[in-house]
Amino acid sequence: MPTWVVDLQQHADQIQSGLVEMRRHLHRNPELSGQEHKTTRFLAGFLEQLGLHPQLAGDDRGLFADLDVATTDAKTPDRRIALRGDIDALPIADQKIVDYHSHNPGVMHACGHDVHPSVVCGAVQILTAMAERNQLPWPIALRAVLQPAEEIAQGASHMIRSGAIDGVDAILALHVDPTRPIGEIGLKAGVLTASCDMIHVDFLGKGGHGARPHLCKDPIDACTLWVQSAFRRIHRVVSADQTVVFSVGQINAGHSANVIPDQADVSGSLRTLSTEARSVALDALHDVSRSVKQQTGCEVRSRLGVSAPAVINDQSLIQLISDAAVLVAGPNAPTPIAEPSMGSEDFSYYLQKIPGAMFRLGVAGDACGHHPLHTAQFDVDERCLAIGAKIMAAAVIQYFRPR
């Protein structure tokens, strides 16, 4: 085993308790998407203590910082790799009985966005300590990217506009996975997550008394007809070998049981794994809107909301992560992900600019970590923090291995 691997392992062990403290601080103090000012300042302060010079993104939400290390034998590389962690929380009330439960009522880190920045900061801390002790085998050039607003698919674009990946050649990220045990990571080259389009449709009719529907143009009738037709139509026009998930999550209409309202609206999501399936499905939804308008006489206005492309992992970077995991977490750490997730991730926006890869970090343990993402009981086995940090640190070092 290379000496630098032994040194890296020792530093990871030494910072484990500090990473737990960081993660718990973030878990106690979650901030919703668009409100991550205190979280940004906290993480900036941590990186400043390591001797880095964080640059805040627009609106002082999110930050990025560089770590450049030369050696006596070689200068700083002309390439740079980034590690990305997201920092926003969800509007979910924390129901865990733990001393680090959320202190922000109705807001919770239920998707690992307390773990992700802690792991990235841990990797930076390991590499900084190794640099100070001349333990790095060769020069590295790293950028830590700590991103807001992932949950609303706006944070990656926000960071890109702020210059977070200017001069960056590749980017790595992680996501907690409560279906995988501690010590295991999931890897998949190619498509990892689906593209996701948020669909909003407004139905504008003519309201009136519930006793006289013949004098009205009923937007609730139009809305329900649209929903049922959309579910049926999509799966009749998209090829059976294409995975498509269409869901309706919100319907708004009316204010009284005996009044037909003037308008209604519906919101949902369309998730696809290919551009072809997405195009066919969106065309089908537009056809449904036209048909509903003809049948009900209501105006039907559809629009796309925030959308995220599919995450498509770079093959060579997945291999890089796998090799790093074997070095520092053992030969059984990397495991394959058989099928893409129909969830979405705005990490995909970075991948439209530069190559990148995301891996799944196992967080399930005997005491916690089994509850699904986006639930009020979600928690992680905190041993995952040091494991994720050392895998990311090792991947950075291996990325600059002399060719």
Side-chain angles (χ1 to χ4, degrees):
M1 180 179 294
T3 302
W4 68 264
V5 175
V6 176
D7 294 331
L8 188 154
Q9 295 270 27
Q10 291 175 347
H11 288 298
D13 292 340
Q14 291 167 3
I15 68 171
Q16 167 67 20
S17 61
L19 294 183
V20 170
E21 182 179 347
M22 172 181 282
R23 182 258 167 171
R24 292 187 177 188
H25 171 87
L26 295 172
H27 200 83
R28 290 188 189 100
N29 300 279
E31 294 180 298
L32 291 173
S33 306
Q35 303 175 16
E36 308 93 333
H37 299 286
K38 292 181 180 178
T39 304
T40 296
R41 290 196 295 271
F42 171 77
L43 294 169
F46 177 84
L47 294 176
E48 287 170 351
Q49 290 177 355
L50 297 180
L52 277 63
H53 303 285
Q55 180 174 334
L56 302 190
D59 194 30
D60 292 344
R61 293 184 302 108
L63 66 149
F64 51 98
D66 290 347
L67 173 63
D68 297 315
V69 183
T71 65
T72 55
D73 300 324
K75 63 181 177 119
T76 302
D78 55 8
R79 296 182 295 151
R80 185 177 300 280
I81 190 169
L83 302 180
R84 175 267 207 172
D86 36 11
I87 66 175
D88 55 326
L90 287 158
I92 296 174
D94 194 349
Q95 296 180 8
K96 297 188 300 299
I97 309 301
V98 293
D99 63 3
Y100 51 87
H101 66 85
S102 172
H103 291 179
N104 188 355
V107 182
M108 175 190 170
H109 278 297
C111 198
H113 298 192
D114 50 349
V115 173
H116 303 165
S118 298
V119 167
V120 170
C121 286
V124 174
Q125 188 174 7
I126 290 170
L127 294 169
T128 301
M130 294 179 70
E132 290 173 348
R133 294 163 177 79
N134 296 317
Q135 294 172 336
L136 291 173
W138 42 74
I140 65 169
L142 167 66
R143 178 168 297 165
V145 177
L146 301 174
Q147 173 206 307
E150 189 282 326
E151 294 291 357
I152 59 174
Q154 296 178 12
S157 296
H158 170 79
M159 296 302 291
I160 292 169
R161 289 193 300 269
S162 298
I165 59 170
D166 291 353
V168 172
D169 298 277
I171 188 167
L172 306 180
L174 76 153
H175 201 292
V176 296
D177 186 346
T179 71
R180 294 181 184 275
I182 192 78
E184 182 178 295
I185 66 169
L187 296 171
K188 185 180 187 304
V191 179
L192 178 69
T193 68
S195 67
C196 178
D197 291 289
M198 305 308 294
I199 311 292
H200 305 285
V201 186
D202 298 316
F203 304 89
L204 308 178
K206 178 183 177 183
H209 199 294
R212 304 177 186 87
H214 60 289
L215 300 179
C216 305
K217 294 180 180 179
D218 190 343
I220 293 180
D221 175 41
C223 177
T224 55
L225 176 61
W226 188 94
V227 170
Q228 294 298 318
S229 300
F231 280 125
R232 286 193 298 268
R233 183 64 179 160
I234 283 178
H235 294 291
R236 302 309 296 174
V237 299
V238 177
S239 174
D241 61 4
Q242 296 278 0
T243 303
V244 175
V245 176
F246 173 67
S247 300
V248 170
Q250 186 175 32
I251 295 177
N252 298 299
H255 54 79
S256 179
N258 65 346
V259 177
I260 293 174
D262 289 316
Q263 62 185 53
D265 63 78
V266 61
S267 297
S269 63
L270 175 69
R271 300 169 188 271
T272 55
L273 296 177
S274 72
T275 55
E276 177 187 3
R278 177 178 181 268
S279 178
V280 171
L282 287 175
D283 285 346
L285 292 180
H286 289 308
D287 288 343
V288 168
S289 295
R290 286 191 288 268
S291 175
V292 168
K293 178 179 179 179
Q294 291 175 348
Q295 293 180 66
T296 66
C298 291
E299 186 72 22
V300 182
R301 300 175 182 173
S302 59
R303 65 190 188 280
L304 292 181
V306 174
S307 303
V311 169
I312 303 177
N313 281 334
D314 180 83
Q315 171 71 57
S316 63
L317 293 175
I318 285 293
Q319 188 63 53
L320 174 74
I321 297 169
S322 179
D323 293 344
V326 169
L327 276 174
V328 299
N332 296 324
T335 59
I337 296 174
E339 299 293 338
S341 166
M342 295 310 293
S344 63
E345 241 287 351
D346 84 344
F347 181 65
S348 55
Y349 285 105
Y350 299 111
L351 306 189
Q352 293 185 324
K353 305 288 185 180
I354 55 176
M358 171 179 281
F359 67 95
R360 305 290 191 192
L361 177 67
V363 299
D366 293 335
C368 57
H370 295 280
H371 294 282
L373 301 171
H374 289 218
T375 63
Q377 294 288 346
F378 178 72
D379 205 353
V380 304
D381 185 321
E382 291 174 319
R383 291 176 295 172
C384 72
L385 298 166
I387 294 171
K390 64 186 180 182
I391 290 173
M392 280 195 141
V396 170
I397 294 174
Q398 287 289 85
Y399 180 76
F400 294 102
R401 184 172 183 169
R403 299 173 179 175

